Amino acid sequence: MNRVFHARITWYHLLFLVLVSVCTVYLVWHKQALGALLFSLVLLVLIECVIHTTYTVTAEGLLVIAKGRFYKKKNHSYRGDSFHRAQTFHDCVQLFGDSFCAHSLGV
């Protein structure tokens, strides 16, 4: 049985989205088409990444990190046989060790 966890949207993700949105609106307001297009594309990728990021723990012992349609999925195997104890995202993260979590998941 696979367990799917959706990523939490943190305050700094929201702040960055708001800043890019404000820059996009400012550039559109001042008729800077190329800059507005560039910021719009960045905004599109950021929103898609924030909304569609999931962490899936499979029964085969893999953690599959999917960050949306524009990124490749990453597969990591976890150590131990404690898959069935993972009820929350925090439990799932603890299965993979501190260095992996700090580097890859930003926890």
Side-chain angles (χ1 to χ4, degrees):
M1 178 171 92
N2 293 344
R3 296 184 190 261
V4 179
F5 303 94
H6 294 276
R8 221 175 29 152
I9 300 173
T10 57
W11 66 270
Y12 50 87
H13 287 132
L14 287 176
L15 179 66
F16 192 61
L17 285 170
V18 168
L19 288 175
V20 172
S21 299
V22 168
C23 288
T24 303
V25 169
Y26 177 80
L27 290 170
V28 168
W29 189 269
H30 288 281
K31 300 177 183 173
Q32 301 292 323
L34 189 59
L37 179 66
L38 178 68
F39 273 89
S40 297
L41 291 175
V42 169
L43 188 62
L44 177 75
V45 171
L46 288 174
I47 290 173
E48 200 275 332
C49 185
V50 165
I51 291 174
H52 291 108
T53 297
T54 60
Y55 303 97
T56 305
V57 178
T58 65
E60 293 83 27
L62 290 176
L63 171 67
V64 180
I65 302 173
K67 291 189 175 184
R69 296 181 192 108
F70 301 123
Y71 295 95
K72 233 166 70 168
K73 291 182 180 179
K74 294 181 183 178
N75 296 325
H76 299 279
S77 62
Y78 68 87
R79 57 183 188 267
D81 57 350
S82 54
F83 167 72
H84 297 289
R85 291 185 299 142
Q87 297 297 323
T88 64
F89 178 73
H90 182 68
D91 295 338
C92 174
V93 168
Q94 289 192 359
L95 294 173
F96 298 91
D98 295 336
S99 62
F100 172 77
C101 295
H103 179 68
S104 297
L105 302 178
V107 176

